[in-house]
Short mmCIF file of all heavy atoms in Angstrom, two decimals:
data_model
loop_
_atom_site.label_atom_id
_atom_site.label_comp_id
_atom_site.label_asym_id
_atom_site.label_seq_id
_atom_site.Cartn_x
_atom_site.Cartn_y
_atom_site.Cartn_z
N ALA A 175 30.14 -76.88 -56.95
CA ALA A 175 29.01 -77.47 -56.23
C ALA A 175 27.90 -77.87 -57.18
O ALA A 175 27.30 -78.94 -57.06
CB ALA A 175 28.49 -76.49 -55.18
N GLY A 176 27.62 -77.02 -58.16
CA GLY A 176 26.55 -77.30 -59.09
C GLY A 176 26.86 -78.46 -60.02
O GLY A 176 26.01 -79.30 -60.30
N ILE A 177 28.10 -78.49 -60.52
CA ILE A 177 28.50 -79.59 -61.40
C ILE A 177 28.44 -80.91 -60.64
O ILE A 177 27.94 -81.92 -61.16
CB ILE A 177 29.90 -79.32 -61.97
CG1 ILE A 177 29.85 -78.16 -62.97
CG2 ILE A 177 30.47 -80.57 -62.65
CD1 ILE A 177 31.20 -77.63 -63.38
N SER A 178 28.91 -80.91 -59.40
CA SER A 178 28.84 -82.13 -58.59
C SER A 178 27.40 -82.56 -58.37
O SER A 178 27.08 -83.76 -58.41
CB SER A 178 29.52 -81.90 -57.24
OG SER A 178 30.91 -81.70 -57.39
N ALA A 179 26.50 -81.59 -58.16
CA ALA A 179 25.09 -81.91 -57.96
C ALA A 179 24.48 -82.54 -59.19
O ALA A 179 23.75 -83.54 -59.11
CB ALA A 179 24.32 -80.64 -57.57
N GLY A 180 24.75 -81.98 -60.35
CA GLY A 180 24.22 -82.53 -61.58
C GLY A 180 24.73 -83.93 -61.84
O GLY A 180 23.98 -84.83 -62.23
N GLN A 181 26.02 -84.12 -61.63
CA GLN A 181 26.60 -85.44 -61.84
C GLN A 181 26.04 -86.46 -60.85
O GLN A 181 25.75 -87.60 -61.22
CB GLN A 181 28.12 -85.35 -61.73
CG GLN A 181 28.76 -84.57 -62.88
CD GLN A 181 30.22 -84.27 -62.66
OE1 GLN A 181 30.69 -84.22 -61.52
NE2 GLN A 181 30.95 -84.04 -63.74
N ALA A 182 25.86 -86.04 -59.60
CA ALA A 182 25.30 -86.95 -58.59
C ALA A 182 23.86 -87.32 -58.91
O ALA A 182 23.39 -88.38 -58.51
CB ALA A 182 25.39 -86.31 -57.21
N ALA A 183 23.17 -86.46 -59.64
CA ALA A 183 21.80 -86.75 -60.06
C ALA A 183 21.75 -87.70 -61.26
O ALA A 183 20.67 -88.09 -61.69
CB ALA A 183 21.07 -85.45 -60.39
N GLY A 184 22.92 -88.02 -61.81
CA GLY A 184 22.97 -88.92 -62.96
C GLY A 184 22.80 -88.22 -64.28
O GLY A 184 22.43 -88.84 -65.28
N MET A 185 23.07 -86.92 -64.31
CA MET A 185 22.90 -86.13 -65.53
C MET A 185 24.24 -85.79 -66.16
O MET A 185 25.26 -85.74 -65.49
CB MET A 185 22.19 -84.81 -65.19
CG MET A 185 20.82 -85.01 -64.58
SD MET A 185 20.06 -83.44 -64.09
CE MET A 185 18.54 -84.07 -63.34
N ARG A 186 24.21 -85.56 -67.46
CA ARG A 186 25.36 -84.94 -68.10
C ARG A 186 25.32 -83.44 -67.78
O ARG A 186 24.24 -82.88 -67.58
CB ARG A 186 25.29 -85.17 -69.61
CG ARG A 186 25.54 -86.62 -70.01
CD ARG A 186 24.91 -86.95 -71.33
NE ARG A 186 23.45 -86.87 -71.22
CZ ARG A 186 22.63 -86.61 -72.24
NH1 ARG A 186 23.13 -86.36 -73.44
NH2 ARG A 186 21.32 -86.58 -72.05
N VAL A 187 26.48 -82.84 -67.70
CA VAL A 187 26.56 -81.44 -67.28
C VAL A 187 27.37 -80.64 -68.29
O VAL A 187 28.51 -81.02 -68.60
CB VAL A 187 27.20 -81.30 -65.89
CG1 VAL A 187 27.26 -79.83 -65.47
CG2 VAL A 187 26.43 -82.11 -64.85
N ILE A 188 26.79 -79.57 -68.79
CA ILE A 188 27.54 -78.61 -69.60
C ILE A 188 28.00 -77.50 -68.67
O ILE A 188 27.18 -76.81 -68.05
CB ILE A 188 26.69 -78.05 -70.75
CG1 ILE A 188 26.36 -79.17 -71.75
CG2 ILE A 188 27.43 -76.91 -71.45
CD1 ILE A 188 25.46 -78.74 -72.89
N GLY A 189 29.30 -77.35 -68.54
CA GLY A 189 29.88 -76.31 -67.72
C GLY A 189 29.95 -75.01 -68.50
O GLY A 189 30.38 -75.00 -69.66
N VAL A 190 29.54 -73.91 -67.86
CA VAL A 190 29.50 -72.61 -68.52
C VAL A 190 30.42 -71.65 -67.78
O VAL A 190 30.30 -71.48 -66.56
CB VAL A 190 28.06 -72.04 -68.54
CG1 VAL A 190 28.04 -70.68 -69.24
CG2 VAL A 190 27.11 -73.01 -69.23
N GLY A 191 31.33 -71.01 -68.51
CA GLY A 191 32.15 -69.97 -67.92
C GLY A 191 33.43 -70.44 -67.29
O GLY A 191 33.71 -71.65 -67.22
N PRO A 192 34.23 -69.50 -66.79
CA PRO A 192 35.58 -69.82 -66.32
C PRO A 192 35.66 -70.69 -65.08
O PRO A 192 36.62 -71.44 -64.92
CB PRO A 192 36.19 -68.43 -66.05
CG PRO A 192 35.00 -67.53 -65.82
CD PRO A 192 33.94 -68.05 -66.73
N ARG A 193 34.66 -70.63 -64.21
CA ARG A 193 34.72 -71.45 -63.00
C ARG A 193 34.51 -72.93 -63.29
O ARG A 193 34.95 -73.80 -62.54
CB ARG A 193 33.66 -71.00 -61.98
CG ARG A 193 34.01 -69.74 -61.24
CD ARG A 193 33.04 -69.48 -60.10
NE ARG A 193 31.72 -69.12 -60.57
CZ ARG A 193 31.30 -67.87 -60.79
NH1 ARG A 193 32.14 -66.86 -60.59
NH2 ARG A 193 30.07 -67.63 -61.21
N ALA A 194 33.81 -73.22 -64.38
CA ALA A 194 33.35 -74.59 -64.62
C ALA A 194 34.44 -75.52 -65.16
O ALA A 194 34.41 -76.72 -64.92
CB ALA A 194 32.17 -74.58 -65.58
N ALA A 195 35.38 -74.98 -65.89
CA ALA A 195 36.30 -75.82 -66.67
C ALA A 195 37.10 -76.79 -65.81
O ALA A 195 37.39 -77.91 -66.24
CB ALA A 195 37.24 -74.94 -67.48
N ALA A 196 37.43 -76.39 -64.60
CA ALA A 196 38.31 -77.20 -63.75
C ALA A 196 37.59 -78.35 -63.06
O ALA A 196 38.23 -79.14 -62.36
CB ALA A 196 38.98 -76.31 -62.71
N HIS A 197 36.28 -78.48 -63.24
CA HIS A 197 35.52 -79.43 -62.44
C HIS A 197 34.91 -80.57 -63.25
O HIS A 197 33.90 -81.16 -62.85
CB HIS A 197 34.45 -78.69 -61.64
CG HIS A 197 35.04 -77.61 -60.77
ND1 HIS A 197 35.85 -77.89 -59.69
CD2 HIS A 197 34.98 -76.26 -60.86
CE1 HIS A 197 36.25 -76.76 -59.14
NE2 HIS A 197 35.74 -75.75 -59.82
N ALA A 198 35.51 -80.87 -64.37
CA ALA A 198 35.19 -82.06 -65.18
C ALA A 198 33.74 -82.20 -65.58
O ALA A 198 33.13 -83.25 -65.39
CB ALA A 198 35.67 -83.32 -64.45
N PRO A 199 33.14 -81.13 -66.14
CA PRO A 199 31.80 -81.31 -66.71
C PRO A 199 31.89 -82.20 -67.95
O PRO A 199 32.98 -82.46 -68.47
CB PRO A 199 31.38 -79.89 -67.07
CG PRO A 199 32.67 -79.18 -67.35
CD PRO A 199 33.66 -79.77 -66.38
N THR A 200 30.76 -82.64 -68.43
CA THR A 200 30.73 -83.44 -69.66
C THR A 200 31.31 -82.66 -70.83
O THR A 200 32.03 -83.21 -71.67
CB THR A 200 29.28 -83.85 -69.99
OG1 THR A 200 28.69 -84.43 -68.83
CG2 THR A 200 29.23 -84.83 -71.14
N ALA A 201 30.98 -81.40 -70.89
CA ALA A 201 31.51 -80.48 -71.90
C ALA A 201 31.58 -79.10 -71.28
O ALA A 201 30.91 -78.82 -70.28
CB ALA A 201 30.62 -80.49 -73.14
N HIS A 202 32.38 -78.23 -71.88
CA HIS A 202 32.55 -76.88 -71.33
C HIS A 202 32.49 -75.86 -72.45
O HIS A 202 33.03 -76.08 -73.54
CB HIS A 202 33.89 -76.75 -70.60
CG HIS A 202 34.16 -75.35 -70.14
ND1 HIS A 202 35.04 -74.51 -70.77
CD2 HIS A 202 33.62 -74.63 -69.12
CE1 HIS A 202 35.05 -73.34 -70.15
NE2 HIS A 202 34.20 -73.39 -69.15
N VAL A 203 31.79 -74.75 -72.18
CA VAL A 203 31.76 -73.62 -73.11
C VAL A 203 32.08 -72.35 -72.34
O VAL A 203 31.77 -72.23 -71.15
CB VAL A 203 30.38 -73.49 -73.80
CG1 VAL A 203 30.14 -74.64 -74.77
CG2 VAL A 203 29.24 -73.41 -72.78
N PRO A 204 32.70 -71.38 -73.01
CA PRO A 204 33.05 -70.13 -72.31
C PRO A 204 31.84 -69.28 -71.94
O PRO A 204 31.86 -68.55 -70.95
CB PRO A 204 33.97 -69.41 -73.29
CG PRO A 204 33.63 -69.99 -74.63
CD PRO A 204 33.25 -71.41 -74.38
N ASP A 205 30.79 -69.36 -72.75
CA ASP A 205 29.54 -68.66 -72.48
C ASP A 205 28.47 -69.30 -73.35
O ASP A 205 28.71 -70.33 -74.00
CB ASP A 205 29.65 -67.15 -72.72
CG ASP A 205 30.13 -66.81 -74.13
OD1 ASP A 205 29.66 -67.46 -75.10
OD2 ASP A 205 30.96 -65.90 -74.28
N LEU A 206 27.29 -68.70 -73.40
CA LEU A 206 26.18 -69.33 -74.11
C LEU A 206 26.11 -68.94 -75.58
O LEU A 206 25.23 -69.41 -76.31
CB LEU A 206 24.87 -69.01 -73.40
CG LEU A 206 24.78 -69.58 -71.97
CD1 LEU A 206 23.54 -69.05 -71.26
CD2 LEU A 206 24.78 -71.10 -71.98
N THR A 207 27.04 -68.11 -76.04
CA THR A 207 27.06 -67.76 -77.46
C THR A 207 27.53 -68.94 -78.30
O THR A 207 27.32 -68.96 -79.53
CB THR A 207 27.98 -66.56 -77.75
OG1 THR A 207 29.34 -66.91 -77.41
CG2 THR A 207 27.56 -65.34 -76.95
N THR A 208 28.18 -69.91 -77.69
CA THR A 208 28.74 -71.04 -78.44
C THR A 208 27.82 -72.24 -78.47
O THR A 208 28.22 -73.33 -78.87
CB THR A 208 30.10 -71.45 -77.82
OG1 THR A 208 29.92 -71.77 -76.45
CG2 THR A 208 31.10 -70.32 -77.94
N LEU A 209 26.56 -72.05 -78.04
CA LEU A 209 25.56 -73.12 -78.05
C LEU A 209 24.51 -72.86 -79.12
O LEU A 209 24.10 -71.72 -79.34
CB LEU A 209 24.85 -73.22 -76.70
CG LEU A 209 25.67 -73.59 -75.47
CD1 LEU A 209 24.78 -73.50 -74.25
CD2 LEU A 209 26.25 -74.97 -75.60
N HIS A 210 24.03 -73.93 -79.75
CA HIS A 210 22.92 -73.82 -80.70
C HIS A 210 21.91 -74.90 -80.36
O HIS A 210 22.28 -76.08 -80.25
CB HIS A 210 23.42 -73.97 -82.14
CG HIS A 210 22.35 -73.81 -83.16
ND1 HIS A 210 21.60 -72.64 -83.28
CD2 HIS A 210 21.87 -74.66 -84.11
CE1 HIS A 210 20.74 -72.78 -84.26
NE2 HIS A 210 20.87 -74.00 -84.79
N VAL A 211 20.66 -74.52 -80.15
CA VAL A 211 19.61 -75.44 -79.74
C VAL A 211 18.68 -75.73 -80.91
O VAL A 211 18.13 -74.80 -81.53
CB VAL A 211 18.79 -74.87 -78.57
CG1 VAL A 211 17.71 -75.86 -78.14
CG2 VAL A 211 19.70 -74.54 -77.39
N THR A 212 18.49 -77.01 -81.21
CA THR A 212 17.52 -77.43 -82.21
C THR A 212 16.76 -78.63 -81.67
O THR A 212 17.12 -79.19 -80.63
CB THR A 212 18.19 -77.82 -83.54
OG1 THR A 212 19.18 -78.84 -83.29
CG2 THR A 212 18.87 -76.62 -84.18
N THR A 213 15.70 -79.02 -82.36
CA THR A 213 14.96 -80.21 -81.97
C THR A 213 14.77 -81.11 -83.19
O THR A 213 14.70 -80.64 -84.32
CB THR A 213 13.57 -79.87 -81.39
OG1 THR A 213 12.85 -79.07 -82.34
CG2 THR A 213 13.71 -79.10 -80.09
N THR A 214 14.70 -82.41 -82.92
CA THR A 214 14.44 -83.38 -83.96
C THR A 214 12.92 -83.58 -84.08
O THR A 214 12.17 -83.13 -83.19
CB THR A 214 15.11 -84.73 -83.63
OG1 THR A 214 14.52 -85.25 -82.43
CG2 THR A 214 16.61 -84.55 -83.42
N PRO A 215 12.45 -84.24 -85.13
CA PRO A 215 11.00 -84.43 -85.29
C PRO A 215 10.33 -85.14 -84.11
O PRO A 215 9.15 -84.90 -83.84
CB PRO A 215 10.91 -85.27 -86.57
CG PRO A 215 12.10 -84.86 -87.36
CD PRO A 215 13.19 -84.66 -86.34
N ASP A 216 11.09 -85.98 -83.39
CA ASP A 216 10.47 -86.68 -82.25
C ASP A 216 10.55 -85.88 -80.96
O ASP A 216 10.19 -86.36 -79.89
CB ASP A 216 11.11 -88.06 -82.07
CG ASP A 216 12.55 -88.01 -81.58
OD1 ASP A 216 13.11 -86.88 -81.48
OD2 ASP A 216 13.13 -89.07 -81.31
#
Side-chain angles (χ1 to χ4, degrees):
I177 291 168
S178 294
Q181 291 171 335
M185 300 176 184
R186 290 155 294 154
V187 181
I188 294 177
V190 180
R193 283 190 291 269
H197 303 293
T200 309
H202 174 256
V203 291
D205 56 42
L206 297 172
T207 64
T208 57
L209 297 175
H210 183 60
V211 181
T212 55
T213 55
T214 64
D216 69 354

